[in-house]
Amino acid sequence: MAITELNKDIQDQISDLLKKLQQIEKLRNKDMRILLDKIVRKYGGKVVNK
């Protein structure tokens, strides 16, 4: 499996997880952005509002 395929798979899993959390916990988009930002900052990234 190529790195890009792995990244795509991981992105899909994160997306599915966030959708489930949103349904179960009634997470708001702002809360999801905060959670994602905490994760990506560990890897030198930053969540950007679009």
Side-chain angles (χ1 to χ4, degrees), residues 35-46:
L35 291 172
L36 284 172
D37 196 52
K38 287 180 181 181
I39 293 168
V40 298
R41 284 186 183 268
K42 292 180 183 179
Y43 300 96
K46 181 179 180 183

Side-chain angles (χ1 to χ4, degrees), residues 7-21:
N7 287 338
K8 177 66 176 141
D9 187 46
I10 290 170
Q11 290 173 9
D12 291 343
Q13 289 177 17
I14 290 171
S15 177
D16 291 343
L17 178 61
L18 288 173
K19 287 176 187 173
K20 289 177 185 175
L21 284 172

Side-chain angles (χ1 to χ4, degrees), residues 26-37:
K26 306 262 189 253
L27 288 178
R28 297 182 313 232
N29 288 338
K30 180 180 176 183
D31 296 331
M32 289 180 21
R33 282 193 299 273
I34 291 168
L35 291 172
L36 284 172
D37 196 52

